[in-house]
Amino acid sequence: MTGQTQRRRAPGEVPRPADPTAPPPFLDLDDLEERARGLLDPAVFDYYAGGAGTETSLAEAPVAWRTWRLRPRVLRGVTATTATTLLGTEVATPVGVAPWAYQSMAHPDGELATARGAAAAGALLCVSTSATHTVEEVAAATGSPAWFQLYAQHSPAHTDDLARRAGDAGYRALVLTVDLPVLGRRHRDLRNDFALPAGLRMANHPAPDDRPPLAANESPGWVLADVGRFAEVSGLPVVVKGVLRGDDAVACVQAGASAVWVSAHGGRQVDLVVPSAHALPEVVDAVRGETAPDGSDVEVYADGGVRTGSDALVALALGARAVFLGRPTAWGLTCGGADGVAGVLTGLTGELAHTMTLCGVASPAEVTPDLVTRYGWTSR
């Protein structure tokens, strides 16, 4: 160079792209969230991003995965692959899409785009009851295995009908979300007086004119007996989502669940709740030796604050069969539609494969508990 002095980069400094507005050349979920914030109505962003109460549980969820440390194996000569099975269904990755509501607020194609993105990544998709497209429409849009998530809502008859429709539409499992007997107090939504934007609909809910009178509209809370009953109604294996205790996990399995899903509902229900990263070992230990209705081992899944491939590998080492992403797929959908969702899933799966290779692990089946050790609270 002539007349100029080239600045030497500090050790570990990532070079800035020529275009500072361009996405980084790696999966940067913080950057993706900020880009999504700029594209969404502020009330919609708060609906997706916010949590219950003081949002302590929301903030702690990602940090909790960092309280574990990996113990790499060396001289294994492996290059990792991520293919696995979930309830017997083959998938390309143990990173799936968690159910989240009202996706057409993020992108005009909503759940249809998310379904296409999940299929492109070879990932399992879990579709929310509170979708803006019907059970059948989303099933027809995806070439990827899908599960349907069910809430107790409106009348028991309508909820049972949704379960039947999920079975008829080809979903592979029914996911009962059981941590929502009442809606969490989400201060951002209360402050914004949040409502579904005009022109969008809750496609799986009855039309207003078809809803029963208010007194008949109140569904009683589910009990353990409903687990087996919904398996019969839908003809599908049942996954119970929202489990944070070992004794609850065992009770769900003994009531007919094929799998349990460790989840704090994205920090949107109970504030100060134990993070999934800390609840997971107790749940895995409790169901060890229990059998699913088909005689197989009980599978355990987790969500809540998984943001990197290292987080996902920690979860697998703690006994999760798979992890599911909520907000990261919302930001991907907002910024890039189906391609954005696929980018998040393939990006995090790539990080997982890379970390597995560095840790001497060839496949998810080879991940064992001795790959992690408990560390301590961290500021990041």
Side-chain angles (χ1 to χ4, degrees), residues 165-253:
R165 287 167 58 191
D168 292 344
Y171 288 84
R172 306 292 182 89
L174 193 69
V175 178
L176 303 184
T177 292
V178 296
D179 57 2
L180 201 143
V182 294
L183 194 67
R185 291 192 63 81
R186 304 166 189 175
H187 293 176
R188 298 197 209 189
D189 294 346
L190 294 170
R191 186 178 297 112
N192 293 328
D193 194 21
F194 173 80
L196 194 63
L200 298 184
R201 64 189 181 117
M202 296 182 288
N204 295 315
H205 293 232
D209 292 344
D210 296 332
R211 294 178 188 174
L214 182 61
N217 199 34
E218 296 174 359
S219 297
W222 287 337
V223 295
L224 283 169
D226 287 306
V227 175
R229 191 181 69 80
F230 275 117
E232 293 180 6
V233 167
S234 65
L236 298 172
V238 167
V239 180
V240 178
K241 178 178 179 290
V243 177
L244 292 170
R245 295 170 56 106
D247 52 359
D248 277 352
V250 171
C252 290
V253 171

Side-chain angles (χ1 to χ4, degrees), residues 140 158 261:
H158 180 76
W261 186 327

